[in-house]
């Protein structure tokens, strides 16, 4: 309630007279994207990789956007070996592949030539299933969030990504 009151006071004083965060950010060029709160208290977001729809966890702590190695064919990913070793919660020094030149669409936000790291996500999906949550295809990481100048409205379960003409390239 307190954050709403603060937000309301800020927007009431805004010279354009806008009343909501959504309309304010919309006028600034941001795209609203719905999030789903899972049983594990993670946000899940729908995204298309190379035109193929998938389910992804939104992870501000993940450096890179990742997809499970078992999804290479599904998302039509061209991969190459890398010396990079991936690490994350519950796993470290995982072998990884890299896929470049991918398209990604999250709601109306789009980007071309997006690199994606491919790792084994079995441990992630096993943890989700152990808590009665559905498995995911991958993780939307800080690389996308930074590029999209992301803002997250936790209360309203919305992700806002900045759309500009460079995103489509």
């Amino acid at each position: 309630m307190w954050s709403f009151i603060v937000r309301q006071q800020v927007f009431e004083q805004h010279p354009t007279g806008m009343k909501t965060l959504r309309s304010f950010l919309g006028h600034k060029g941001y795209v609203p994207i719905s999030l789903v709160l899972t049983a594990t208290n993670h946000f899940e977001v729908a995204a298309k990789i190379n035109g193929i729809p998938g389910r992804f966890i939104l992870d501000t702590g993940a450096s890179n956007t990742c997809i499970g190695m078992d999804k290479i064919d599904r998302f039509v990913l061209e991969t190459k070996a890398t010396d990079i070793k991936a690490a994350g919660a519950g796993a470290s020094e995982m072998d990884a592949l890299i896929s470049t030149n991918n398209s990604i669409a999250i709601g109306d936000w789009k980007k071309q030539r997006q690199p994606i790291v491919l790792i084994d996500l079995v441990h992630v999906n096993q943890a989700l299933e152990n808590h009665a949550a559905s498995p995911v295809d991958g993780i939307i990481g800080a690389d996308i969030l930074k590029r999209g100048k992301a803002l997250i409205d936790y209360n309203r379960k919305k992700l806002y990504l900045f759309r500009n003409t460079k995103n489509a390239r």
Side-chain angles (χ1 to χ4, degrees), residues 125-159:
N125 281 322
Q126 185 62 55
L128 290 171
E129 289 175 347
N130 288 345
H131 290 91
S134 299
V136 295
D137 298 309
I139 297 166
I140 301 296
D143 55 342
I144 295 288
L145 300 175
K146 185 176 176 184
R147 172 136 317 168
K149 300 178 184 179
L151 297 168
I152 300 170
D153 184 342
Y154 284 87
N155 203 31
R156 290 189 174 79
K157 299 180 186 96
K158 292 286 183 190
L159 168 67

Side-chain angles (χ1 to χ4, degrees), residues 18-95:
M18 289 183 252
K19 301 289 186 202
T20 67
L21 179 62
R22 182 179 180 144
S23 64
F24 175 77
L25 291 175
H27 281 85
K28 297 289 185 185
Y30 280 83
V31 176
I33 298 153
S34 294
L35 301 172
V36 174
L37 190 62
T38 68
T40 59
N41 231 11
H42 290 96
F43 277 130
E44 187 179 288
V45 63
K48 288 184 180 180
I49 306 294
N50 299 326
I52 312 297
R55 295 166 18 105
F56 296 83
I57 287 177
L58 187 68
D59 188 348
T60 61
S63 303
N64 297 294
T65 294
C66 305
I67 290 181
M69 287 222 195
D70 60 332
K71 307 294 182 180
I72 291 172
D73 291 336
R74 176 177 175 198
F75 290 107
V76 194
L77 301 169
E78 294 181 22
T79 63
K80 57 184 173 184
T82 181
D83 292 335
I84 297 171
K85 295 289 183 185
S92 63
E93 293 295 314
M94 293 183 289
D95 289 331

Side-chain angles (χ1 to χ4, degrees), residues 78-133:
E78 294 181 22
T79 63
K80 57 184 173 184
T82 181
D83 292 335
I84 297 171
K85 295 289 183 185
S92 63
E93 293 295 314
M94 293 183 289
D95 289 331
L97 297 173
I98 189 85
S99 178
T100 57
N101 203 29
N102 298 290
S103 67
I104 184 165
I106 305 172
D108 289 334
W109 187 87
K110 297 174 178 59
K111 177 160 183 331
Q112 300 295 321
R113 295 189 296 274
Q114 175 64 41
I116 295 173
V117 175
L118 290 107
I119 59 173
D120 184 352
L121 289 178
V122 169
H123 68 286
V124 171
N125 281 322
Q126 185 62 55
L128 290 171
E129 289 175 347
N130 288 345
H131 290 91

